[in-house]
Amino acid sequence: MSFLVVLGNGYTLWADLTNTAAQMRGIIKEEPTAGIFTNYIRAYITNCTYEDFRPNTREDENCLIVTNLLGMLPGEKPDVIVVDCWYGGLKGPPDSWIMQYIENEFGYSTVIDNAYVRFYRK
């Protein structure tokens, strides 16, 4: 790793962002991506997001995560849908297919905003 930093030729690709090894100052703390090095803000947002999941989802629920940071998909219909937000403001187009599904078909009863993710719960 030190060799790559010195030469500046080391790259990691994660979530459509390319960082040089010298820019990787953060580490993901939670599974399933624990131990991945990335830039500071990406690690910070991801770690905060995982903290938001604990009080807002249960193990017996199916959860659909719609985000550019995580790539998980459920095997069944979701009880909770999670989308990107930024301190209460929806991140992404409100007329996207997922927002149309949430508003017109999902039938949510509550919305919980956190710093970087929004939870729609049936």
Side-chain angles (χ1 to χ4, degrees):
M1 184 67 133
S2 297
F3 177 74
L4 294 175
V5 171
V6 170
L7 292 179
N9 292 327
Y11 292 92
T12 183
L13 178 65
W14 188 58
D16 298 325
L17 293 176
T18 303
N19 300 305
T20 64
Q23 293 170 325
M24 294 187 295
R25 295 191 172 122
I27 186 167
I28 308 299
K29 298 176 184 174
E30 300 289 335
E31 295 295 337
T33 56
I36 291 181
F37 288 89
T38 186
N39 63 38
Y40 169 79
I41 194 66
R42 170 93 29 199
Y44 178 79
I45 290 172
T46 302
N47 289 328
C48 288
T49 299
Y50 281 125
E51 289 176 16
D52 291 337
F53 273 78
R54 284 189 185 94
N56 291 300
T57 58
R58 296 186 312 260
E59 285 189 30
D60 64 335
E61 291 180 312
N62 296 311
C63 182
L64 175 60
I65 302 168
V66 182
T67 179
N68 293 324
L69 298 177
L70 305 170
M72 302 172 192
L73 295 174
E76 300 176 14
K77 291 185 179 182
D79 301 307
V80 179
I81 297 178
V82 184
V83 298
D84 289 331
C85 77
W86 191 264
Y87 290 95
L90 184 64
K91 221 35 189 146
D95 61 346
S96 66
W97 69 270
I98 191 63
M99 292 312 299
Q100 292 301 310
Y101 172 74
I102 290 169
E103 293 296 332
N104 300 320
E105 298 176 42
F106 181 59
Y108 65 90
S109 61
T110 59
V111 177
I112 302 167
D113 277 323
N114 288 284
Y116 308 108
V117 288
R118 176 180 290 174
F119 293 82
Y120 291 91
R121 176 180 297 285
K122 280 191 172 183

